[in-house]
Amino acid sequence: MSEQRDGTAIGSFPRARADAGWMNDLRRERTAGPRTPHQQSLEAPAGNSTTAVHGGTYLDPTTRAVGTPIFQTSTFLLDETSYDAFHEGVTRDVPIYTRYGNPSQWSVQEKLALLEGAESALVTSSGMAAISTTVLALTNPGGHVITAYDVYGGTYNLMREDLHALGRDVSFVDAADPAAVAAAIRPETQMLFVEGLTNPLLKAPPLAELAALARQHDILLVVDNTFLSPACLRPIDLGAHLVVHSATKYLNGHSDLTAGVVAGPRKFVDRVWAQAMRLGGTLEPFSCFLLERGLKTLPLRMRAHHENASGIAAFLAGHPAISRVHHPSLPDYPYPHLRESARGYGGVVSFEVAGGDAAALRVLQALRLPRVATSLGGVESLVSMPFNTSHSSLTQAQRTAVGIRPGLIRYSAGIEELADLVDDLDAALALLDEAPAPDATTDSPDDEARDGRQEETSCATA
């Protein structure tokens, strides 16, 4: 079948060999993408900023718009190419119905794939949609998944609460310890799911070692790259099979969108896409526009996030009111391999206030620039405490077991002036020298009673 067509159907078409049989014929080839003939492709290697601005942009032949138009439609006219796509099983590549694919999705997916060094990408309605769809698409009932005990709360809940009911077994390990990962591998292990940088303690699993281990045992390595973004780290370059993101965070960068991403080889992403068609976690066109707009400034924003978080970490590391600071820029950071592979560390810095949770809450109340809110990765600084948000359902003993000690604050540095953020922190910490107000929050007796119980419980998803 010819790849030449009129303007009715604008999707790219697979390069199927003329003598290939049906879908199970291994001679059948697939292009990268999906990609339309009107998308801007970067044939020569380009830097991150150039790719972020130009990669995947839809160059509309009718209006010649500089930016990608919003294809705000649920369905498209059918023609011969559309019917052929149904017959050939390639409906991901032709505009038929927005749940299957839409040029707004294809443009931002192409940009994301280029930034991650991947063959294909898929955008979803949230980060958890990307994670759950990927796990379900690439594992089978009877299979086994290995993940970290300190993954994001929503991921933990999925792994602990849902996968067993869906026939998958899950083991939780310290992903920063390759020996612990190796010890958990079974003959039925199908996936190793880790985070490039963990929340909130910024642990960095040795991805290259884990990738080698995964390949040795024919296991898929999936890396949640939310905390670093491809501007700082590209896990596929280190051997990961797939990368997922909460695009709500750094990729969009403006705290006005909820979205997710999965990127990797097309043979895997197509399977995730097929699962997404059944689960329905599609990203609608206007959200694709917002995400693509945000991505154009990703490298610039990530440099500012990195500089601010590193500067805050350096200030806090010498402050008498702070007992410990977690950040890769500090000399005592226990995972130095990250410095060899990362171009930056993102905008999150976590630190422990010496007076515990009550003192840390006083600091939060005194800060004037950061907003006290969940999430991270926006241009504005956000601050929160794990003990009453993301890990609130754990007992104190369980929080301590994963390294979350009293007084821990997670600070997501935005792109404000570093001096202003440091002055604000300095002023808030200075208030700790004053006597606390009579109604200052302290640990309740109920919380102390819970500390003695060691039953398993799920993490919150904030």
Side-chain angles (χ1 to χ4, degrees):
M1 175 177 295
S2 172
E3 295 187 35
Q4 301 298 319
R5 60 171 70 88
D6 61 24
T8 304
I10 57 176
S12 64
F13 212 70
R15 304 181 188 278
R17 287 179 48 158
D19 60 343
W22 189 232
M23 295 297 290
N24 60 350
D25 193 320
L26 295 180
R27 294 172 297 171
R28 186 182 179 90
E29 299 176 3
R30 301 289 279 149
T31 61
R35 179 184 298 147
T36 79
H38 306 305
Q39 283 178 242
Q40 186 167 356
S41 60
L42 301 175
E43 302 299 337
N48 261 359
S49 291
T50 302
T51 300
V53 172
H54 295 291
T57 302
Y58 184 94
L59 303 174
D60 185 65
T62 302
T63 66
R64 305 186 70 184
V66 172
T68 299
I70 303 172
F71 290 85
Q72 195 69 44
T73 182
S74 61
T75 192
F76 299 83
L77 293 176
L78 298 174
D79 66 359
E80 182 181 354
T81 304
S82 310
Y83 295 122
D84 286 343
F86 279 111
H87 178 72
E88 295 289 329
V90 292
T91 53
R92 189 182 177 208
D93 294 273
V94 175
I96 294 171
Y97 187 62
T98 288
R99 182 161 56 85
Y100 301 171
N102 178 302
S104 294
Q105 296 167 0
W106 296 338
S107 292
V108 71
Q109 286 172 175
E110 177 76 3
K111 190 184 298 291
L112 288 160
L114 290 169
L115 287 169
E116 282 288 3
E119 190 177 44
S120 184
L122 177 72
V123 289
T124 63
S125 57
S126 70
M128 280 310 304
I131 292 168
S132 60
T133 305
T134 298
V135 172
L136 292 178
L138 299 176
T139 62
N140 306 112
H144 175 235
V145 177
I146 301 172
T147 192
Y149 55 74
D150 54 352
V151 287
Y152 166 65
T155 305
Y156 179 88
N157 287 342
L158 171 72
M159 297 289 185
R160 181 180 180 274
E161 303 292 339
D162 297 310
L163 287 195
H164 289 289
L166 296 169
R168 282 83 164 166
D169 199 10
V170 181
S171 294
F172 295 91
V173 301
D174 180 359
D177 181 0
V181 175
I185 294 175
R186 309 173 186 170
E188 65 271 22
T189 303
Q190 296 178 325
M191 180 179 290
L192 170 59
F193 187 102
V194 301
E195 296 171 342
L197 203 59
T198 68
N199 174 27
L201 298 177
L202 308 184
K203 297 179 182 179
L207 296 183
E209 288 186 58
L210 296 183
L213 189 63
R215 279 174 164 73
Q216 178 185 349
H217 294 275
D218 294 323
I219 299 169
L220 292 177
L221 173 60
V222 180
V223 177
D224 184 336
N225 198 29
T226 297
F227 262 51
L228 290 171
S229 90
C232 295
L233 184 74
R234 301 208 316 183
I236 290 175
D237 291 346
L238 299 176
H241 294 91
L242 292 112
V243 175
V244 297
H245 289 269
S246 171
T248 311
K249 314 302 193 296
Y250 289 115
L251 296 185
N252 176 59
H254 292 80
S255 301
D256 57 7
L257 168 70
T258 301
V261 178
V262 54
R266 174 130 197 202
K267 65 179 181 179
F268 294 139
V269 178
D270 275 1
R271 290 180 63 182
V272 179
W273 168 83
Q275 184 75 58
M277 294 307 94
R278 297 187 288 274
L279 296 179
T282 301
L283 191 65
E284 51 84 31
F286 183 70
S287 294
C288 293
F289 160 77
L290 290 175
L291 179 54
E292 185 177 2
R293 183 190 64 175
L295 283 167
K296 291 181 180 181
T297 60
L298 175 66
L300 293 174
R301 288 185 287 103
M302 293 308 293
R303 283 197 286 272
H305 288 304
H306 167 83
E307 291 170 2
N308 281 348
S310 298
I312 288 170
F315 163 72
L316 293 172
H319 199 286
I322 303 301
S323 58
R324 187 172 182 180
V325 181
H326 305 268
H327 195 264
S329 65
L330 298 177
D332 61 347
Y333 182 67
Y335 310 100
H337 57 264
L338 182 66
R339 300 191 184 105
E340 301 172 5
S341 54
R343 295 184 292 269
Y345 309 130
V348 174
V349 54
S350 294
F351 56 95
E352 298 166 19
V353 179
D357 289 339
L361 285 169
R362 292 181 64 199
V363 173
L364 257 63
Q365 293 163 2
L367 289 170
R368 293 292 175 259
L369 288 179
R371 303 296 185 185
V372 180
T374 59
S375 197
L376 59 109
V379 292
E380 65 286 302
S381 294
L382 299 177
V383 64
S384 63
M385 292 184 63
F387 97 94
N388 61 7
T389 57
S390 60
H391 295 74
S392 61
S393 61
L394 297 183
T395 68
Q396 181 63 63
Q398 289 169 327
R399 289 194 291 269
T400 300
V402 298
I404 298 173
R405 288 183 282 268
L408 182 69
I409 291 176
R410 189 189 76 180
Y411 192 116
S412 172
I415 64 170
E416 302 95 337
E417 292 294 330
L418 173 60
D420 294 332
L421 297 177
V422 169
D423 287 347
D424 186 37
L425 269 167
D426 194 25
L429 291 169
L431 294 177
L432 293 178
D433 294 333
E434 302 176 4
D439 61 347
T441 302
T442 57
D443 290 337
S444 68
D446 287 343
D447 191 54
E448 293 177 3
R450 287 197 311 139
D451 291 347
R453 298 199 301 265
Q454 298 298 315
E455 74 277 9
E456 283 192 297
T457 185
S458 60
C459 293
T461 58

